[in-house]
Amino acid sequence: MIQTVLGKIRPEELGICSVHEHLSIDLSRIKKDPDTILDDEPGMLEELRDFRREGGRAMVEVTNDGMGRDVLRLKRLSEQSGVHIIACTGFYKDPFIPEYAQNWSAGQFAAHFIKEAKEGIDGTGILPGVIGEVGTSKNEIKPIERELLIGAALAGRETGLPVTTHTTLGTLGYEQVQLLTAHGLPANQIIIGHQDLNPNFAEVLSVLETGVYIDFDTIGKVNYRPDEERVDFLLEFIKRGFEEQILLSADLTRKSHWKKHGGPGYGLVLRDFIPRLKEQGVSQETIDQFLIANPARAFSVKERS
């Protein structure tokens, strides 16, 4: 089953899923930029309804404590939009980890995530469907980030929840996999984020070869990398037989990303990127794997004996 903010659903109910998004977020404490505050709930609903018109049926909302998580808001948005929303337990990376958790050990992180997974988030009774987005810094795993990732692995092992990560500019994906699997988390429970930001083909390939899922989840952010390069990498990965491990999303985090403010909105992958793949000869079957079948597997909670 897949855990959404409205309860459990069967994997086949998920539909087309955007696997790494933010609807309600506030990064301004660190970024000092009001553009990084998404707090307009009517606007969120409008954007979600647009996503649904483009064919989207589900969204994984990876905003955690320290980033402005609001699961009651997510529940309202899901009820009103008809979009399945998966919420998360977790912490982001240094320096976004809340003050109360900045000196925690892996065991403390794990205990916190397990408690939320079993009892609900912030006393709401709403259960998370994923642990994430837990992350590392650019080309560096800081001591607190190491404890955080180990804690996520231990909690994932205990609860069966998938673990989805943040890699800064796509770096250290392979090292994240090694750390998570060394602490008992199976590869099929791991989703390594932002791999489309890494221009080093061999590094991204090495992540795929471990058997984990990877996110191409900053589609449309051409200030980091042209989408043509994302397409080229995907074509090569398909040729090598990795199509069952790839997930797609846009990772919108700013007011300026929303359609109402002149941005592309959450439907951009479906509206703009999928046609590019089709133009390059990618089959509908493979596209359905990226958008439907792979997310349904990746976010199914693994049974624990």
Side-chain angles (χ1 to χ4, degrees):
M1 302 294 277
I2 293 170
Q3 181 68 54
T4 78
V5 294
L6 300 183
K8 289 183 169 63
I9 62 170
R10 298 188 306 277
E12 56 270 24
E13 293 178 77
L14 191 68
I16 290 175
C17 181
S18 199
V19 297
H20 188 112
E21 291 298 349
H22 302 273
L23 289 163
S24 176
I25 190 171
D26 185 352
L27 303 179
S28 63
R29 178 175 66 91
I30 303 299
K31 292 198 177 252
K32 312 298 184 194
D33 182 352
D35 195 38
T36 63
I37 304 171
L38 297 179
D39 58 359
D40 168 10
E41 191 167 324
M44 291 170 203
L45 183 59
E46 191 181 316
E47 298 286 329
L48 266 179
R49 285 175 171 159
D50 179 73
F51 170 68
R52 188 172 167 84
R53 281 192 294 272
E54 295 286 356
R57 292 296 177 266
M59 191 174 282
V60 183
E61 216 281 4
V62 292
T63 309
N64 53 42
D65 192 7
M67 299 172 82
R69 180 181 64 178
D70 186 338
V71 293
L72 287 173
R73 172 178 277 166
L74 298 183
K75 183 172 185 280
R76 290 191 297 271
L77 291 168
S78 184
E79 288 168 340
Q80 293 169 48
S81 68
V83 174
H84 298 299
I85 296 177
I86 296 169
C88 69
T89 182
F91 299 109
Y92 182 26
K93 62 167 188 168
D94 184 66
F96 293 89
I97 296 167
E99 196 171 330
Y100 69 83
Q102 283 177 1
N103 294 306
W104 278 8
S105 66
Q108 287 172 295
F109 283 121
H112 178 76
F113 304 154
I114 291 165
K115 186 173 191 287
E116 290 201 330
K118 292 182 174 178
E119 299 176 14
I121 294 167
D122 298 334
T124 62
I126 296 169
L127 299 177
V130 63
I131 299 167
E133 61 176 299
V134 291
T136 52
S137 298
K138 185 182 177 186
N139 291 317
E140 178 187 10
I141 301 180
K142 296 182 180 179
I144 189 66
E145 295 168 346
R146 179 180 172 81
E147 296 299 310
L148 172 60
L149 259 71
I150 294 171
L154 298 174
R157 201 173 73 190
E158 168 76 20
T159 62
L161 289 177
V163 173
T164 190
T165 77
H166 165 92
T167 62
T168 300
L169 297 180
T171 62
L172 300 181
Y174 182 79
E175 289 78 4
Q176 287 187 354
V177 177
Q178 297 309 301
L179 187 58
L180 292 166
T181 55
H183 290 86
L185 193 65
N188 69 352
Q189 264 180 263
I190 299 171
I191 302 152
I192 300 297
H194 311 327
Q195 289 306 280
D196 57 325
L197 292 179
N198 189 342
N200 186 319
F201 182 84
E203 285 185 8
V204 183
L205 182 63
S206 73
V207 177
L208 277 170
E209 287 173 340
T210 67
V212 303
Y213 296 94
I214 67 166
D215 281 345
F216 265 50
D217 55 12
T218 64
I219 289 166
K221 292 187 176 181
V222 294
N223 54 319
Y224 290 108
R225 195 175 182 209
D227 275 346
E228 292 81 3
E229 292 183 11
R230 292 180 171 92
V231 171
D232 289 344
F233 270 35
L234 286 175
L235 293 174
E236 187 59 36
F237 292 144
I238 292 166
K239 193 185 300 181
R240 294 176 185 230
F242 291 107
E243 58 267 31
E244 292 187 1
Q245 294 167 241
I246 293 166
L247 305 163
L248 305 181
S249 205
D251 192 23
L252 304 192
T253 58
R254 292 174 172 268
K255 289 184 177 78
S256 53
H257 292 155
W258 281 10
K259 282 188 94 169
K260 73 177 288 186
H261 299 299
Y266 297 94
L268 78 93
V269 173
L270 302 175
R271 187 185 61 248
D272 302 332
F273 192 72
I274 294 303
R276 288 185 179 218
L277 293 180
K278 288 181 176 177
E279 284 168 12
Q280 294 299 319
V282 177
S283 70
Q284 187 63 50
E285 181 185 9
T286 297
I287 287 165
D288 287 346
Q289 278 187 302
F290 290 170
L291 296 174
I292 302 170
N294 296 351
R297 279 198 319 278
F299 292 97
S300 290
V301 180
K302 305 300 181 280
E303 294 297 324
R304 287 292 172 258
S305 53

